Amino acid sequence: MDVKLGIGLFLTLSILLFAVFGPLLTQDPRGYDNPTMQAPTAQHLLGTNNLGADVLAQLAEGARGSILVGATAGLIAIVLSLFFGIVAGYRGGFTDEVLSLITNIMLVIPGLPLVIVVAAYLQNRSMWMIALVLGATSWAGSAVVLRLQARSLRNRDYVSAARTAGEKTPRIILVEILPNLLPLLAAQFLSAVVLSVLSEAGLSYLGLGPSGSITWGTMLNQAAQQNAFHVGAWWWFVPPGLMIALLGCGLSLINFSIDETINPRLKAAPEAVRQVRKAERDAKKAAKENGGRTASVREGSTP
């Protein structure tokens, strides 16, 4: 197994298991009967916050919230990119122009400011609503890639044969085109999940995250509001930040491995770069040795 894929799967699966079983093995994340601002101890492995809530319990509950928002937003983004990308690329003509126009409009609109404005406008922000906003504003880039791939596939012989045989457009897209795009769709989905998790954390840190829910972003927001950075309560803000980084790293490594599977030249590129650098070092070494020999000959011939 590829090293990057193995490390990525280990990190991602570990965090998923923590999100599934962690809340079952920890205290109530909203239980405030513990001592406040307590450093990590045997009873509270990650300490407590200013209200006495166990940070480990909040971290496990936050893992569920962040992953749920990221996965839902990624699923919404991939469904929209499938419609606007594959349908536009396969149909062509007027349909392509209209769908491409909408895609291009979404591309030029700054994503983060739009999400902040929409989230600020909402009065009650549930996790599902945040996921819907993030998914609806992050599909355009993937749609462009899928449109180009669909335009390439629609001229293949087996697609033309299916069209000549009278197959309907939905069946051709689902049976003939979509299976060939599964590796690319998997890579686009993982990218959308990583982007959504980071965006949710950013929104929550700004105070625009899900209302009444616990995520890694809301933990960072509460730690910042209670001056945990200044009083040295590292156990409150380091764990959620580290979990966000590890999840992003794990999903990105899986994504890189899928990219190398789709395009084997990406896998061969580092080896080619190493060979070029080795050849350059050998050439410099040979030139230096030849220069030293020439200097020795000149010194020996001097009267």
Side-chain angles (χ1 to χ4, degrees), residues 13 24 54 57-58 62 90 115 142 146 148 172 182 193 249 275:
L13 291 178
L24 304 177
D54 187 77
Q58 290 205 337
Y90 175 74
V115 171
S142 298
L146 293 175
L148 295 176
I172 294 175
L182 286 180
V193 172
C249 180
Q275 291 180 356

Side-chain angles (χ1 to χ4, degrees), residues 64-79:
R64 280 188 175 181
S66 294
I67 293 175
L68 181 63
V69 171
T72 305
L75 188 61
I76 293 172
I78 206 67
V79 169

Side-chain angles (χ1 to χ4, degrees), residues 221-238:
N221 173 262
Q222 292 171 1
Q225 288 185 345
Q226 300 301 324
N227 295 321
F229 305 100
H230 299 290
V231 300
W234 58 268
W235 58 86
W236 196 356
F237 58 86
V238 169

Side-chain angles (χ1 to χ4, degrees), residues 125-229:
R125 297 184 297 272
S126 64
M127 287 197 296
W128 301 109
M129 186 59 69
I130 293 296
L132 178 62
V133 172
L134 292 175
T137 55
S138 61
W139 56 268
S142 298
V144 173
V145 177
L146 293 175
R147 174 177 173 270
L148 295 176
Q149 292 296 322
R151 286 173 63 89
S152 173
L153 290 174
R154 73 175 182 180
N155 296 321
R156 301 290 175 86
D157 293 340
Y158 61 91
V159 177
S160 300
R163 195 163 47 239
T164 304
E167 296 286 350
K168 294 183 179 179
T169 298
R171 177 175 172 76
I172 294 175
I173 292 176
L174 293 175
V175 176
E176 305 293 346
I177 293 180
L178 203 55
N180 294 284
L181 297 176
L182 286 180
L184 183 60
L185 288 174
Q188 298 291 339
F189 174 72
L190 292 178
S191 297
V193 172
V194 173
L195 179 62
S196 300
V197 170
L198 295 176
S199 299
E200 187 278 329
L203 284 175
S204 298
Y205 186 78
L206 296 174
L208 299 174
S211 306
S213 301
I214 298 176
T215 65
W216 293 332
T218 59
M219 292 180 66
L220 291 173
N221 173 262
Q222 292 171 1
Q225 288 185 345
Q226 300 301 324
N227 295 321
F229 305 100

Side-chain angles (χ1 to χ4, degrees), residues 37-41 44-49 55-56 59 219-220 223-224 226-243:
M37 298 299 284
Q38 187 178 35
T41 61
H44 303 286
L45 296 178
L46 291 179
T48 59
N49 62 12
V55 174
L56 179 60
L59 192 69
M219 292 180 66
L220 291 173
Q226 300 301 324
N227 295 321
F229 305 100
H230 299 290
V231 300
W234 58 268
W235 58 86
W236 196 356
F237 58 86
V238 169
L242 186 62
M243 293 294 280

